[in-house]
Amino acid sequence: MAVRSNPFARRVTLIALTILTGIGLTLASLRYKQPAICQELCTGAQPCQVGQCKFGEQRAGFPIPFVRDAEGGSPTSGWGKVGAEDYFYADLRGFALNVAAYSLALGLFQRLVGWLLRSLQGRRL
């Protein structure tokens, strides 16, 4: 009840929920990996074939990839691929920029929906 009567508390709550949703969307973006399929490590001077990646080439996150295959931090079966062990080496600046981008998009969407609802209510009167 106190949040409904206090516009400042309502705004702070809305901003906190927007940021938390932005964090959730950023974590969900880890499923977006480029190149999408890395099944084995590409070594040598020859160009990589389909399904092969070099160390550090595969990245995860969208719009800014903030997790990449960490050289030497992965078991040999995970070389060239982003795995659970690579999340420890995430780029925190990229993570923060993704959270900001998603939060900004959500905030703009909330304003657009609010504006549309207000304009529709004004037409009924």
Side-chain angles (χ1 to χ4, degrees):
M1 278 207 179
V3 171
R4 286 185 185 247
S5 63
N6 186 345
F8 178 73
R10 184 172 184 260
R11 182 166 295 259
V12 168
T13 302
L14 187 61
I15 290 170
L17 288 174
T18 302
I19 291 171
L20 286 174
T21 305
I23 291 171
L25 289 171
T26 299
L27 292 175
S29 79
L30 286 172
R31 294 183 54 90
Y32 180 78
K33 295 179 182 173
Q34 282 303 107
I37 300 173
C38 287
Q39 296 175 346
E40 59 185 64
L41 184 64
C42 174
T43 57
Q46 298 177 7
C48 293
Q49 303 299 318
V50 175
Q52 293 181 330
C53 292
K54 295 180 181 178
F55 273 123
E57 184 178 18
Q58 189 177 44
R59 292 174 164 74
F62 184 83
I64 298 168
F66 60 95
V67 173
R68 68 177 186 89
D69 176 42
E71 297 179 32
S74 304
T76 56
S77 62
W79 286 355
K81 300 181 263 187
V82 171
E85 65 280 348
D86 297 316
Y87 297 134
F88 182 73
Y89 302 104
D91 176 22
L92 295 181
R93 287 179 294 174
F95 179 82
L97 287 172
N98 279 353
V99 170
Y102 284 120
S103 298
L104 178 66
L106 287 168
L108 291 173
F109 181 73
Q110 289 169 352
R111 285 187 179 261
L112 176 66
V113 169
W115 176 79
L116 286 172
L117 290 175
R118 283 190 300 277
S119 80
L120 289 175
Q121 285 177 346
R123 288 185 182 196
R124 277 195 246 152
L125 297 176

